[in-house]
Amino acid sequence: MVHIVGAGPGDPDLITVKGQRLLSEADIVIYAGSLVNEEILKFCKPDAEIYNSAQMMLEEILHVITLAEKAGKTTVRLHTGDPSIYGAVQEQMNAMEARGIEFDVTPGVSSFLAAAASLKQEYTLPGVTQTVIITRRGGRTPVPDSESLKKLAQHQTTLCIFLSVSLLPEIKQDLMSAGFKSSTPVAVVYKASWPGEEKIIKGRLDTIVQQVKEANIDRTAMIIIGHCLNARKENQQKSNLYSPKFSHMFRQARF
Ligand code: SAH
């Protein structure tokens, strides 16, 4: 049996209870070494066989899994954050299906959520935006034309941009040409939740490129753009959820 597990964003305590249990029971662990915090391997059995997939091709990963299956062993395939977001996991699931290998998936805390926690920020503010777009900027890996940042940005939602911090100058251009003002707030969170390594940079579209350069951030960072970052405390429209005028399934209106 193979368990695909989301390791969470970096802090080893942010793996799910189920993920931790599966990891502690696994005979074989294949982890995405380029991004998973190796601290999390402390949950493995002392005699677990551990492989770093950063040095492996898809066929090699499948080979390790196939041998484990033949020997009746349990494998955990450990992905960073949540496997469903830029996890390159579909091709592995398809290959396992094709070979009749049984597997399941345990979700994880994605880095865009860890970044919100680090920023102490809600992405879906009433009266500001009710939508979050998760995307990346096209670079070496192309993005379909219909999903170019220029097009997505026109909705003026909260944007969480993965895998793109090295393309920040291009992102700025795209967003300005889509109508975002140079004063639009931007946050960059490097290694969100990693103990002792996290960096938070807050700025505006016209300052962020320089700020991120000065902080030497060129990888493992989440870019967050949108007016939600401006809507601090007092001047923010309250949600209906806690309003006395609003009834819902669990509470009657009081006025
Ligand atoms: N499946 C992962 C994403 C893998 S793609 C998830 O759900 O988070 C790798 C990209 O994710 C990085 O380039 C970066 O943009 C983002 N990322 C991963 N971990 C991060 C972290 N701790 N802090 C900020 N961004 C992170």
Side-chain angles (χ1 to χ4, degrees):
M1 177 74 178
V2 178
H3 304 288
I4 296 172
V5 174
D11 180 345
D13 285 353
L14 287 178
I15 192 172
T16 63
V17 174
K18 183 170 180 182
Q20 182 182 337
R21 177 176 59 76
L22 293 170
L23 197 55
S24 70
E25 292 167 358
D27 303 305
I28 315 271
V29 175
I30 309 172
Y31 74 104
S34 53
L35 275 166
V36 168
N37 184 352
E38 292 187 352
E39 274 291 301
I40 208 162
L41 301 175
K42 70 184 178 197
F43 296 129
C44 298
K45 287 197 290 203
D47 59 343
E49 265 177 60
I50 298 181
Y51 296 86
N52 179 352
S53 64
Q55 290 129 18
M56 296 163 86
M57 316 268 254
L58 179 60
E59 276 311 314
E60 295 173 84
I61 296 173
L62 290 167
H63 181 67
V64 170
I65 291 175
T66 307
L67 287 184
E69 287 300 291
K70 281 198 183 128
K73 292 180 174 168
T74 303
T75 304
V76 161
R77 175 71 178 106
L78 195 60
H79 281 266
T80 177
D82 183 82
S84 71
I85 311 276
Y86 306 112
V89 72
Q90 194 67 52
E91 62 210 63
Q92 298 173 59
M93 296 194 287
N94 292 350
M96 285 194 272
E97 249 157 29
R99 290 168 197 221
I101 297 172
E102 210 189 322
F103 66 91
D104 60 17
V105 183
T106 300
V109 176
S110 180
S111 54
F112 81 99
L113 301 171
S118 299
L119 292 167
K120 303 191 170 86
Q121 179 67 53
E122 177 173 346
Y123 289 148
T124 54
L125 289 180
V128 179
T129 181
Q130 290 292 289
T131 306
V132 183
I133 293 180
I134 292 167
T135 190
R136 68 184 296 173
R137 184 165 191 293
R140 274 208 307 169
T141 305
V143 168
D145 250 2
S146 56
E147 300 170 16
S148 70
L149 258 189
K150 265 187 215 170
K151 289 189 179 145
L152 296 181
Q154 281 165 7
H155 298 283
Q156 303 265 316
T157 66
T158 301
L159 287 164
C160 294
I161 309 181
F162 283 69
L163 291 160
S164 307
V165 76
S166 62
L167 301 170
L168 209 47
E170 289 86 348
I171 290 173
K172 176 186 163 187
Q173 285 312 320
D174 288 348
L175 296 186
M176 303 274 285
S177 59
F180 268 106
K181 294 204 186 85
S182 56
S183 60
T184 306
V186 183
V188 171
V189 185
Y190 168 76
K191 288 205 160 178
S193 88
W194 281 64
E197 299 202 39
E198 177 181 286
K199 285 186 205 165
I200 296 179
I201 314 282
K202 290 182 184 173
R204 309 166 10 142
L205 217 40
D206 56 358
T207 63
I208 197 76
V209 173
Q210 187 61 25
Q211 288 172 283
V212 166
K213 200 169 154 200
E214 279 164 15
N216 277 324
I217 296 173
D218 61 356
R219 68 193 65 211
T220 328
M222 184 62 48
I223 307 167
I224 296 131
I225 298 155
H227 305 296
C228 70
L229 297 171
N230 253 350
R232 269 345 251 194
K233 324 261 165 11
E234 293 75 31
N235 54 7
Q236 186 217 313
Q237 186 183 324
K238 301 276 192 303
S239 80
N240 286 332
L241 186 60
Y242 302 113
S243 156
K245 299 197 188 83
F246 193 71
S247 301
H248 57 68
M249 203 199 293
F250 301 104
R251 195 190 61 219
Q252 285 300 310
R254 301 211 183 121
F255 295 100

